Structures are given as C-alpha cells and as structure tokens.
Amino acid sequence: MITLKTKQRIVAKAIKKQKESAGSHSPSILALANQFPNVKIKVDACFLSNPYASKLFFKCLQQDFKKQNKFQDLIQYYPSQNAIIAQLVAKHLDISPQNIFLGNGAIEVIQAVIHNFVRKKIIVNIPTFSSYYEFAKEHIKVVYHQLDKQNNFTLDIEKYLKFVKQERPDTVVIINPNNPDGSYLKFQDMAYLIKQLKDVDNVIVDESFIHFAREKDERIKSTLKLINEFDNLIVIKSMSKDFGIAGIRAGYGVMSTAKVNHLLKNGYLWNLSGLAEYFFRTYIQDDFQKMYEKARVKYIDITQTFNNKLSKIDGLNVYPSQGNFVLVELTEGSTAFDCFNKLLLKHGIYTRNCSDKIGLEGEFLRIASRTKKENKKIIKSVKDLLSA
Ligand SMILES: *Cc1c(COP(=O)(O)O)cnc(C)c1O
C-alpha cells in the first residue's frame, strides 16, 4: 500500500486545492512550479505530447529565426486570416479549403462547434475529455454513454447505435483514440459507424491522438476524407499533442462548407497568432514532414515498449491504449491520490490523477509516454512505489 508521510500529505492537499481551482484541466508544470517551488518536477507525464516532435519543431524555429528580422516581422505584422491559412493546410491534407476551419488550439474549434451547432441534445461517451460537455450551453441536454470497463472502454458499436436511435440526439462525439483510456476503433469500424450515423445532424470525431495509433502499417488512418461523403461529419484535430506545441495553440476542424462559413461570419477572423501561422507553414513542408514522420514512428515504438513494461508491473491494471498514454488502475487498495502524490513528491513524476473524471469508477492514473530515458525513470519509480 502506498501511504504519504505527514509532510507529503500537507503538500498534497495544497496541490489538490490548486488543481481544483484550475477546473477540469491539470495545472501546467509552470503553474505548479510557481506555487510549489520546492516540488521538483523531473518528468511531466501529465501533458500528452511527443517530446521528439517538440524538439524537431524547436530546432526548425531556431534555424529559421537566426535572422532577427524575420522574427520581428512575425511579431509586428498581422498574421494571415483564418481562410488564408486554411488554404495552405487544406492543400496539405488534400481536402477543399472551404471545408477547413482553423482554431487557436482545438479547444477553440470545440467551443465554436458546440456553441454554434448543437441545438438540443448531445451524446458524449464517458470517460472523456471534459470540454465536450462543459461547453454545452444551459439549454442543451448532455446524455452520457458509459464506456464499459470490462470491454477496456472500447466503444461497442452496435450497442452504441441502438442507444443513439433511442435518444435521438442532434450531436454525438467520438474521440478516437479516446482520452483518457486510449481505446481505439479501426478505420473500417469508424467508417461503418459514421455511415450508420447519417441521420444525426452533427457527428464530431476528435482525432487529436490519431497520429499515435497503429493499425497494420504506419499510415495514419484519419476519417477526414469522409467529409466529402458525409455532410454531418466534423473532424477535430489538435496539433498540441502529436507535434508537442501546446504553447503555440494550433488546431483545426474539418466540416461542411456551410458550417465553416457560418463560423467565419461569426468571428474568428484573426484567431491564429503569427507563431501559429509559422507552425502551419512549417508543418506543410515536405522536408519537415519527412523528419516529423521519423520522430512519430520512433515515438510510437518507444510508447508501445513503455506500455508493455508498465503492464507487467504487479498491482496495476493497464488498459490497452493506442494513444501516447495509458490509463492504469491501482488494484491493491492504494488510492490514486496517494499514488499521484507519492510519484510527484518522492520521484518528481507528474501524472494525471483521474479521480475527477466522470464515468471512471475506481482508482485511476493516466500516465503519458515521454522520451525513452524519461520512460525508464517512470517505470523504475512506479515499481519502487508498488513494491514498497
Ligand atoms: C488536448 C485535447 C484537445 C485540445 O487541444 P488543444 O489543441 O491544445 O486545444 C482536444 N481534444 C482532445 C481529445 C484532447 O485531448
């Protein structure tokens, strides 16, 4: 059993308070360090990003901005408007620019979509990324669809379709791979599901973690091309996780032209910063893509090794994940609170205590995969905790 020392318990309670005031998202390590200068974070396994991709992008940025003028230009001039950057990104994604809406982070796309297109009723699978129900306005009925722990939180398609038929929502949300459990539906299953949902006005598919999923080969199995077939489909994508650039705030949504036009008429003209525009202009270049692809595949390998090692540790139930994180359940009576704090205060490892996630019964932590070296440290620390 993991137990905290008296001193650790005092700090743990103060950290909990800070977390509560941050709402349903964890405080960043900067915010944490500000308030708790004595808590030394060595590994941030809370934030879900590919550290190799962060490094790659930062290297490009440093090279490009060696000349001070170019950076000054980025700051002193207006960036391009949403629709202009959309043209560049659409070309890269091989879709029509009229189908793409860029966001100051995917969170802005989620907010725009939920506020503008949900009319009465939305179905959200739980556990989930909280913004999908938190942004629903007061008159919207949020209906939760519980993912089955016994089924590793994987969506049971036929059961779900029956549920949708019964509830008759105007909007449904499917996150694939799902956050926080990493459960994944293969492309064929997603295509089938989307086809069956043709009578629902808005089918939101959040693919923020799709770059980490692996089917038979390395290709990314996005549903975004199905936009040409299904007018009700809305594919949402954050760039924060797979490119490791949460600080820049960049994401997009792919949806019908009517929806894109509606949003652009209601604001969002200059919603991307100069830095976000720079990111997208770098992202669409072939040589960047080649380097990124290497970083992506390498990181998936490292992540799968990490998952395997974690799943062999006694006292943990590790749920199969196609994300770059794993949901682990403590099976020997320790609480997620104690485990989270012990990992942080004794080992400097920051994870996500999932006790505030609705639809998760039990003691759960979400642990992100980091660099090879950091993952080793996480494994060692978790073993140390559970064998004590
Ligand atoms: C992190 C996350 C987002 C938001 O990403 P930002 O681009 O940083 O705003 C959206 N959806 C899911 C499922 C996420 O995990």
Side-chain angles (χ1 to χ4, degrees):
M1 278 267 284
I2 301 161
T3 45
L4 298 175
K5 297 188 177 128
T6 312
K7 254 190 181 163
Q8 289 174 328
R9 190 160 293 279
I10 293 167
V11 182
K13 280 191 181 149
I15 292 172
K16 186 169 181 227
K17 240 190 186 154
Q18 187 194 30
K19 157 84 174 87
E20 280 162 1
S21 69
S24 44
H25 302 281
S26 300
S28 70
I29 54 166
L30 286 179
L32 204 70
N34 260 338
Q35 205 169 332
F36 303 98
N38 292 329
V39 176
K40 296 278 174 267
I41 296 178
K42 290 182 190 140
V43 181
D44 181 356
C46 177
F47 173 50
L48 310 169
S49 74
N50 177 352
Y52 298 102
S54 300
K55 215 170 165 180
L56 169 66
F57 178 68
F58 192 63
K59 212 171 85 190
C60 294
L61 191 127
Q62 276 181 318
Q63 272 167 6
D64 274 354
F65 292 136
K66 263 193 197 131
K67 287 199 202 91
Q68 195 240 340
N69 276 353
K70 214 175 151 185
F71 193 60
Q72 192 174 335
D73 287 354
L74 196 89
I75 306 252
Q76 74 186 346
Y77 298 124
Y78 275 93
S80 303
Q81 294 183 4
N82 196 310
I84 305 286
I85 307 173
Q87 277 175 15
L88 304 172
V89 177
K91 192 163 171 236
H92 171 76
L93 297 175
D94 192 24
I95 54 168
S96 158
Q98 274 91 41
N99 289 134
I100 185 161
F101 172 76
L102 288 160
N104 190 265
I107 207 87
E108 187 178 52
V109 183
I110 296 172
Q111 185 180 336
V113 164
I114 300 285
H115 283 179
N116 285 276
F117 305 130
V118 183
R119 284 180 298 106
K120 285 183 186 152
K121 196 188 223 185
I122 181 170
I123 295 183
V124 178
N125 300 321
I126 53 171
T128 190
F129 182 66
S130 58
S131 303
Y132 282 105
Y133 58 85
E134 284 173 347
F135 285 152
K137 291 188 175 170
E138 229 160 75
H139 67 280
I140 308 287
K141 180 152 201 275
V142 178
V143 178
Y144 296 116
H145 175 255
Q146 177 72 52
L147 295 169
D148 187 2
K149 189 161 120 172
Q150 258 61 48
N151 195 23
N152 293 328
F153 301 103
T154 308
L155 186 72
D156 179 330
I157 294 177
E158 294 308 328
K159 211 174 114 205
Y160 178 70
L161 287 172
K162 229 188 218 168
F163 187 76
V164 173
K165 221 176 221 163
Q166 245 172 36
E167 291 289 338
R168 304 173 63 84
D170 54 82
T171 306
V172 296
V173 182
I174 299 147
I175 306 177
N176 195 43
N178 193 33
N179 180 5
D181 50 82
S183 64
Y184 176 69
L185 289 183
K186 287 187 174 165
F187 178 80
Q188 286 307 332
D189 292 332
M190 283 303 293
Y192 169 77
L193 188 55
I194 291 165
K195 198 170 166 193
Q196 298 302 314
L197 292 169
K198 63 183 184 311
D199 294 330
V200 178
D201 292 352
N202 310 299
V203 174
I204 301 175
V205 177
D206 185 324
E207 294 189 341
S208 292
F209 296 97
I210 199 96
H211 284 207
F212 303 122
R214 186 179 261 168
E215 291 192 17
K216 276 205 189 80
D217 55 41
E218 305 298 350
R219 272 175 303 168
I220 297 164
K221 305 288 192 295
S222 171
T223 58
L224 80 102
K225 292 268 170 64
L226 299 181
I227 195 75
N228 298 321
E229 255 174 278
F230 301 100
D231 215 37
N232 59 347
L233 180 62
I234 301 171
V235 180
I236 293 181
K237 174 93 184 122
S238 167
M239 311 307 267
S240 298
K241 320 291 167 61
D242 33 22
F243 293 89
I245 52 137
I248 290 181
R249 312 306 302 129
Y252 61 79
V254 174
M255 60 194 92
S256 72
T257 305
K259 286 197 177 96
V260 171
N261 287 342
H262 176 88
L263 293 181
L264 291 179
K265 273 196 195 123
N266 286 282
Y268 309 108
L269 185 63
W270 268 305
N271 57 336
L272 291 204
S273 70
L275 200 54
E277 178 175 4
Y278 167 77
F279 165 76
F280 277 120
R281 285 184 184 275
T282 306
Y283 156 80
I284 59 174
Q285 282 168 19
D286 288 343
D287 51 346
F288 177 80
Q289 279 295 327
K290 269 192 202 127
M291 290 186 287
Y292 167 71
E293 192 55 21
K294 273 193 197 146
R296 185 179 77 87
V297 172
K298 171 182 168 180
Y299 178 60
I300 296 177
D301 287 337
I302 289 172
T303 298
Q304 292 192 342
T305 305
F306 176 65
N307 292 1
N308 282 336
K309 286 202 172 137
L310 265 181
S311 63
K312 293 204 176 92
I313 300 176
D314 287 337
L316 282 185
N317 194 3
V318 173
Y319 288 86
S321 169
Q322 289 269 26
N324 62 333
F325 52 84
V326 276
L327 185 68
V328 304
E329 186 175 12
L330 302 165
T331 53
E332 291 187 348
S334 301
T335 64
F337 177 83
D338 287 349
C339 188
F340 164 84
N341 284 293
K342 200 83 175 183
L343 271 176
L344 181 62
L345 301 174
K346 185 173 177 201
H347 298 281
I349 292 169
Y350 186 40
T351 56
R352 174 69 157 87
N353 174 356
C354 292
S355 51
D356 64 331
K357 289 263 178 202
I358 53 171
L360 261 189
E361 287 298 323
E363 299 299 325
F364 288 95
L365 289 186
R366 191 192 63 199
I367 307 177
S369 162
R370 303 296 305 164
T371 63
K372 207 169 170 178
K373 202 171 144 199
E374 287 175 319
N375 285 354
K376 271 195 182 144
K377 180 157 173 50
I378 297 172
I379 299 278
K380 199 164 158 246
S381 308
V382 172
K383 273 188 183 160
D384 174 81
L385 274 197
L386 291 169
S387 63

